[in-house]
Amino acid sequence: MLYKSLLISLLAPLILFFGVSYSFKSESIIFINDSSTSIQSSLVSSFISSTPESVYQLKEFLKSKDASKRFRESVDVEAFYESKEIKFFSRFTGYFNQTFHDYYKRVVDVNIESDSNTLKISTIGFNPDNARISNLALINLTVEFFNNKQRNS
């Protein structure tokens, strides 16, 4: 048992140093205004009628396989997440039966803060520009989601 602990404590730093790339996080906060029920973003201003339940639907959509598929179509996944410059344990490889959707859930996070009526979208990239562009792609998916919702109502 002592040998296992010692082995793990020696290997973990090596794996982290040689196998994991530095990452950068980009965050956007979308504010939901109760009075006019509009959505605003610091990067993209889009005034779209929505209800609080729509925000929860948006969160579920952004975590869905459909959203990961659209995300993959809108950003250069090969350059952003599959590049050989990204260390093995950080990049998307498709090994070990990992789907892109599984990887997408690792690099994209969506949270609702109901106290402040905000939706926080976080993306991870392996350079600052890729993180920002990935985040912008999710904001565009958000706008598409509400535009489609508005057309269908």
Side-chain angles (χ1 to χ4, degrees):
M1 183 78 169
L2 178 64
Y3 293 116
K4 282 185 181 179
S5 298
L6 184 61
L7 182 64
I8 289 172
S9 63
L10 291 174
L11 286 179
L14 292 174
I15 290 172
L16 289 175
F17 183 75
F18 292 109
V20 179
S21 294
Y22 290 106
S23 62
F24 298 85
K25 184 185 259 188
S26 177
E27 291 185 340
S28 294
I29 298 175
I30 299 174
F31 301 96
I32 294 95
N33 185 344
D34 283 337
S35 62
S36 64
T37 60
S38 65
I39 293 184
Q40 301 176 16
S41 171
S42 59
L43 295 176
V44 177
S45 289
S46 179
F47 298 96
I48 305 163
S49 176
S50 68
T51 61
E53 65 197 36
S54 297
V55 177
Y56 287 96
Q57 292 171 351
L58 171 62
K59 178 182 177 183
E60 292 306 312
F61 166 70
L62 290 175
K63 291 184 169 192
S64 72
K65 287 185 178 182
D66 185 39
S68 67
K69 179 182 176 210
R70 290 181 187 192
F71 177 82
R72 189 172 191 166
E73 293 167 353
S74 65
V75 299
D76 186 1
V77 169
E78 189 172 309
F80 287 14
Y81 297 108
E82 295 178 347
S83 171
K84 299 291 184 200
E85 294 174 11
I86 302 168
K87 294 181 181 176
F88 181 80
F89 291 109
S90 297
R91 72 175 175 250
F92 173 65
T93 60
Y95 295 144
F96 311 113
N97 295 324
Q98 180 187 39
T99 65
F100 181 74
H101 181 67
D102 294 332
Y103 184 79
Y104 169 85
K105 291 188 294 186
R106 279 182 38 206
V107 298
V108 171
D109 189 34
V110 181
N111 291 304
I112 295 173
E113 296 178 19
S114 57
D115 295 344
S116 58
N117 289 333
T118 60
L119 179 77
K120 184 165 80 171
I121 301 172
S122 303
T123 55
I124 294 174
F126 298 101
N127 71 47
D129 286 336
N130 292 356
R132 181 185 51 80
I133 291 167
S134 295
N135 198 282
L136 185 56
L138 289 174
I139 291 172
N140 289 335
L141 283 177
T142 299
V143 171
E144 285 179 30
F145 173 83
F146 281 108
N147 284 342
N148 288 337
K149 191 167 182 59
Q150 196 169 32
R151 269 188 243 125
N152 293 334
S153 59

